[in-house]
Amino acid sequence: MKEGQGRKRKRARHNKPQKPQESLQPKHSIKHKKETHQQKSHAHRSSASSKPPKSSSSNSSSFLDKMRARLAGGHFRMINEKLYTCTGKEALDYFQEDPELFDMYHTGYQEQMSHWPELPVNVIIKWLKDHSSSLIVADFGCGDARLAKNVKNKVFSFDLVSNDPSVIVCDMSNIPLDPSSVDVAVFCLSLMGTNYASYLQEAYRVLKPSGWLLIAEVKSRFDPNNGGADPNKFSKAVCEMGFTSALKDFSNKMFVLLYFKKKEKQSSKGKEIEWPELKPCIYKRR
Ligand code: SAH
């Protein structure tokens, strides 16, 4: 840890709202995570034994609930930032080493999503229901596989960890599907790794000609006025890979929708594509 970081972290935890540069540093080792677990149970124990004075039992249990929620929120934000600042391969190793972190991540993720007026995955579910159920779908970074559970289509769901046997565990830069085998590739809030372009390359590989690429991303990541990427540059890079842009929808307050169609014929290969950097999405403390 660099000098001064410890102090910065403490401040960041107490300041509201949390600015991205004040958030936790990306290079958390697995060891550090385990320490954090211990800290969690230690904090748990010490708050239980040193009962808050002058409070009724219901007050103390709500105090403990608040502390637990705060710790869980902190863990979620730490894992979230890790996923945005490492490669998919590193993320796979990270979760395989300690699958409990994945459950922590998803508990926090669901908590954050419960504050969104509309979920992007539901918009994509609706899109699929409005199209033929014979379309074969690949859901890249499926989370709890909500997409597969809510449509009639054949859906291949991919994620780094899963308790659900229908989910194929892998790093999505390398999925076990044949070239030109799916009609729709979905990335719903899942372009997380620093090597995100390789996920899109993989989608290009498995999509049939004229297949759909559906991307939903957190709005701030495509807000150039706030350090986000220029959506036109991103879209240009995707098109250079061999897609045409079909829809750009910025109407939702929380997320953007970018839909593309794979070209019938492969574009000239070998051209270096300039991918804009996508900044991490830092979720608010709640
Ligand atoms: N698409 C789901 C979940 C979004 S959370 C939904 O909209 O509800 C993002 C998911 O992407 C997480 O579950 C995370 O584990 C997954 N993910 C991130 N990088 C990945 C990678 N390299 N390979 C596979 N899954 C990845």
PDB file of all heavy atoms in Angstrom, residues 86-97:
ATOM      1  N   CYS A  86      -9.431  -5.265 -13.239  1.00  0.00           N
ATOM      2  CA  CYS A  86      -8.545  -6.392 -13.563  1.00  0.00           C
ATOM      3  C   CYS A  86      -9.038  -7.038 -14.858  1.00  0.00           C
ATOM      4  O   CYS A  86     -10.096  -6.678 -15.376  1.00  0.00           O
ATOM      5  CB  CYS A  86      -8.508  -7.397 -12.411  1.00  0.00           C
ATOM      6  SG  CYS A  86     -10.028  -8.333 -12.190  1.00  0.00           S
ATOM      7  N   THR A  87      -8.285  -7.998 -15.341  1.00  0.00           N
ATOM      8  CA  THR A  87      -8.718  -8.703 -16.557  1.00  0.00           C
ATOM      9  C   THR A  87      -9.725  -9.792 -16.170  1.00  0.00           C
ATOM     10  O   THR A  87      -9.832 -10.162 -14.989  1.00  0.00           O
ATOM     11  CB  THR A  87      -7.521  -9.394 -17.238  1.00  0.00           C
ATOM     12  OG1 THR A  87      -7.019 -10.392 -16.343  1.00  0.00           O
ATOM     13  CG2 THR A  87      -6.423  -8.403 -17.589  1.00  0.00           C
ATOM     14  N   GLY A  88     -10.408 -10.315 -17.157  1.00  0.00           N
ATOM     15  CA  GLY A  88     -11.367 -11.394 -16.913  1.00  0.00           C
ATOM     16  C   GLY A  88     -10.686 -12.616 -16.312  1.00  0.00           C
ATOM     17  O   GLY A  88     -11.237 -13.284 -15.434  1.00  0.00           O
ATOM     18  N   LYS A  89      -9.481 -12.886 -16.759  1.00  0.00           N
ATOM     19  CA  LYS A  89      -8.744 -14.066 -16.266  1.00  0.00           C
ATOM     20  C   LYS A  89      -8.436 -13.886 -14.770  1.00  0.00           C
ATOM     21  O   LYS A  89      -8.599 -14.808 -13.968  1.00  0.00           O
ATOM     22  CB  LYS A  89      -7.448 -14.202 -17.111  1.00  0.00           C
ATOM     23  CG  LYS A  89      -6.368 -15.076 -16.559  1.00  0.00           C
ATOM     24  CD  LYS A  89      -6.614 -16.545 -16.911  1.00  0.00           C
ATOM     25  CE  LYS A  89      -5.511 -17.462 -16.431  1.00  0.00           C
ATOM     26  NZ  LYS A  89      -5.403 -17.593 -14.987  1.00  0.00           N
ATOM     27  N   GLU A  90      -7.998 -12.666 -14.422  1.00  0.00           N
ATOM     28  CA  GLU A  90      -7.712 -12.391 -13.002  1.00  0.00           C
ATOM     29  C   GLU A  90      -8.984 -12.490 -12.162  1.00  0.00           C
ATOM     30  O   GLU A  90      -8.971 -13.000 -11.041  1.00  0.00           O
ATOM     31  CB  GLU A  90      -7.103 -10.986 -12.842  1.00  0.00           C
ATOM     32  CG  GLU A  90      -5.650 -10.926 -13.250  1.00  0.00           C
ATOM     33  CD  GLU A  90      -5.133  -9.502 -13.473  1.00  0.00           C
ATOM     34  OE1 GLU A  90      -5.939  -8.549 -13.600  1.00  0.00           O
ATOM     35  OE2 GLU A  90      -3.906  -9.352 -13.554  1.00  0.00           O
ATOM     36  N   ALA A  91     -10.101 -12.010 -12.735  1.00  0.00           N
ATOM     37  CA  ALA A  91     -11.376 -12.056 -12.011  1.00  0.00           C
ATOM     38  C   ALA A  91     -11.800 -13.509 -11.779  1.00  0.00           C
ATOM     39  O   ALA A  91     -12.290 -13.863 -10.701  1.00  0.00           O
ATOM     40  CB  ALA A  91     -12.445 -11.308 -12.797  1.00  0.00           C
ATOM     41  N   LEU A  92     -11.577 -14.348 -12.786  1.00  0.00           N
ATOM     42  CA  LEU A  92     -11.927 -15.774 -12.660  1.00  0.00           C
ATOM     43  C   LEU A  92     -11.105 -16.412 -11.533  1.00  0.00           C
ATOM     44  O   LEU A  92     -11.650 -17.100 -10.668  1.00  0.00           O
ATOM     45  CB  LEU A  92     -11.667 -16.485 -14.001  1.00  0.00           C
ATOM     46  CG  LEU A  92     -12.058 -17.949 -14.090  1.00  0.00           C
ATOM     47  CD1 LEU A  92     -13.581 -18.107 -14.015  1.00  0.00           C
ATOM     48  CD2 LEU A  92     -11.575 -18.566 -15.410  1.00  0.00           C
ATOM     49  N   ASP A  93      -9.796 -16.151 -11.519  1.00  0.00           N
ATOM     50  CA  ASP A  93      -8.933 -16.697 -10.459  1.00  0.00           C
ATOM     51  C   ASP A  93      -9.367 -16.191  -9.090  1.00  0.00           C
ATOM     52  O   ASP A  93      -9.411 -16.936  -8.116  1.00  0.00           O
ATOM     53  CB  ASP A  93      -7.460 -16.292 -10.687  1.00  0.00           C
ATOM     54  CG  ASP A  93      -6.894 -16.941 -11.939  1.00  0.00           C
ATOM     55  OD1 ASP A  93      -7.527 -17.883 -12.446  1.00  0.00           O
ATOM     56  OD2 ASP A  93      -5.837 -16.481 -12.419  1.00  0.00           O
ATOM     57  N   TYR A  94      -9.691 -14.926  -9.038  1.00  0.00           N
ATOM     58  CA  TYR A  94     -10.079 -14.252  -7.790  1.00  0.00           C
ATOM     59  C   TYR A  94     -11.291 -14.937  -7.159  1.00  0.00           C
ATOM     60  O   TYR A  94     -11.303 -15.294  -5.986  1.00  0.00           O
ATOM     61  CB  TYR A  94     -10.377 -12.814  -8.168  1.00  0.00           C
ATOM     62  CG  TYR A  94     -10.885 -11.881  -7.101  1.00  0.00           C
ATOM     63  CD1 TYR A  94     -10.041 -11.380  -6.120  1.00  0.00           C
ATOM     64  CD2 TYR A  94     -12.210 -11.444  -7.122  1.00  0.00           C
ATOM     65  CE1 TYR A  94     -10.511 -10.476  -5.172  1.00  0.00           C
ATOM     66  CE2 TYR A  94     -12.677 -10.544  -6.184  1.00  0.00           C
ATOM     67  CZ  TYR A  94     -11.831 -10.065  -5.211  1.00  0.00           C
ATOM     68  OH  TYR A  94     -12.296  -9.172  -4.293  1.00  0.00           O
ATOM     69  N   PHE A  95     -12.305 -15.190  -7.978  1.00  0.00           N
ATOM     70  CA  PHE A  95     -13.522 -15.813  -7.448  1.00  0.00           C
ATOM     71  C   PHE A  95     -13.336 -17.306  -7.207  1.00  0.00           C
ATOM     72  O   PHE A  95     -13.939 -17.869  -6.307  1.00  0.00           O
ATOM     73  CB  PHE A  95     -14.701 -15.599  -8.404  1.00  0.00           C
ATOM     74  CG  PHE A  95     -15.328 -14.234  -8.289  1.00  0.00           C
ATOM     75  CD1 PHE A  95     -15.741 -13.556  -9.418  1.00  0.00           C
ATOM     76  CD2 PHE A  95     -15.531 -13.641  -7.056  1.00  0.00           C
ATOM     77  CE1 PHE A  95     -16.336 -12.296  -9.323  1.00  0.00           C
ATOM     78  CE2 PHE A  95     -16.121 -12.387  -6.951  1.00  0.00           C
ATOM     79  CZ  PHE A  95     -16.523 -11.724  -8.085  1.00  0.00           C
ATOM     80  N   GLN A  96     -12.506 -17.946  -8.030  1.00  0.00           N
ATOM     81  CA  GLN A  96     -12.326 -19.389  -7.828  1.00  0.00           C
ATOM     82  C   GLN A  96     -11.591 -19.654  -6.523  1.00  0.00           C
ATOM     83  O   GLN A  96     -11.831 -20.647  -5.865  1.00  0.00           O
ATOM     84  CB  GLN A  96     -11.636 -20.011  -9.030  1.00  0.00           C
ATOM     85  CG  GLN A  96     -12.630 -20.034 -10.189  1.00  0.00           C
ATOM     86  CD  GLN A  96     -12.259 -20.944 -11.321  1.00  0.00           C
ATOM     87  OE1 GLN A  96     -11.085 -21.297 -11.481  1.00  0.00           O
ATOM     88  NE2 GLN A  96     -13.232 -21.303 -12.133  1.00  0.00           N
ATOM     89  N   GLU A  97     -10.720 -18.732  -6.177  1.00  0.00           N
ATOM     90  CA  GLU A  97      -9.981 -18.829  -4.915  1.00  0.00           C
ATOM     91  C   GLU A  97     -10.935 -18.721  -3.732  1.00  0.00           C
ATOM     92  O   GLU A  97     -10.782 -19.397  -2.729  1.00  0.00           O
ATOM     93  CB  GLU A  97      -8.969 -17.681  -4.876  1.00  0.00           C
ATOM     94  CG  GLU A  97      -8.044 -17.658  -3.698  1.00  0.00           C
ATOM     95  CD  GLU A  97      -6.760 -18.424  -3.996  1.00  0.00           C
ATOM     96  OE1 GLU A  97      -6.513 -18.779  -5.159  1.00  0.00           O
ATOM     97  OE2 GLU A  97      -6.029 -18.639  -3.036  1.00  0.00           O
TER      98      GLU A  97
END
